[in-house]
Amino acid sequence: MLFRDLSVAVLAAAFALILLVFGSHLPVGTALRMGPGFVPRAVAVGLLLVAAAIAVRACVTVRHRREAAMNEPPLHWRGTASIGLGVLAFAMLIQPIGLIASAIVTVFVSSLAQDGDRIGERALLAGGLSAVAGGVFSLGLGLPLPMLPAFL
């Protein structure tokens, strides 16, 4: 339990530091006249505060939570890895193959987190979610995203 809490705190702090690094060249402005760097820095500070609170809570309650940790199931790496790879696949594939195909790949890769071999359900879910995503982003929001691969 302590390891998991401290891992979450480190991850939140790492995201905060990434925001600070990438937003460091943007002007902050003032509270009345915010610049483009205001929100990334404010979110980074908030994340750092949350990370610190999680770390302090984990260290303070370590004795009380040690017994509870004995009954806790282990971290499920399959789910963590497949969802992370699904997000990465979407980011890498949206430009070359378009929103529809990249959403289908993302749903299939992310669905590997669930046990079982339900290929029909996964195909139906992938098709439905990609259609909804295409409708929302293209028709609803009017975003100029490629829907299909360039070769089609």
Side-chain angles (χ1 to χ4, degrees):
M1 193 74 147
L2 176 68
F3 175 73
R4 187 179 293 180
D5 287 347
L6 291 178
S7 298
V8 169
V10 167
L11 186 63
F15 279 129
L17 293 176
I18 289 170
L19 279 172
L20 287 174
V21 168
F22 285 113
S24 65
H25 69 282
L26 299 171
V28 179
T30 64
L32 293 176
R33 194 170 167 96
M34 293 180 204
F38 188 88
V39 171
R41 286 192 181 123
V43 170
V45 167
L47 272 174
L48 284 173
L49 291 173
V50 167
I54 291 171
V56 166
R57 180 177 161 247
C59 292
V60 168
T61 62
V62 70
R63 284 187 183 169
H64 302 293
R65 297 170 66 185
R66 190 170 287 152
E67 288 179 17
M70 299 302 274
N71 299 328
E72 188 175 314
L75 182 64
H76 299 285
W77 289 104
R78 179 180 172 181
T80 304
S82 62
I83 291 172
L85 287 173
V87 171
L88 184 63
F90 184 80
M92 302 280 292
L93 294 175
I94 188 152
Q95 287 299 324
I97 66 172
L99 177 68
I100 304 296
S102 62
I104 290 172
V105 170
T106 299
V107 171
F108 267 106
V109 171
S110 297
S111 71
L112 295 174
Q114 186 179 20
D115 290 333
D117 189 27
R118 302 180 199 136
I119 202 77
E121 289 178 14
R122 292 176 183 175
L124 187 62
L125 181 64
L129 287 177
S130 63
V132 168
V136 166
F137 290 110
S138 179
L139 302 174
L141 298 174
L143 295 177
L145 292 173
M147 289 293 129
L148 298 172
F151 57 85
L152 292 179

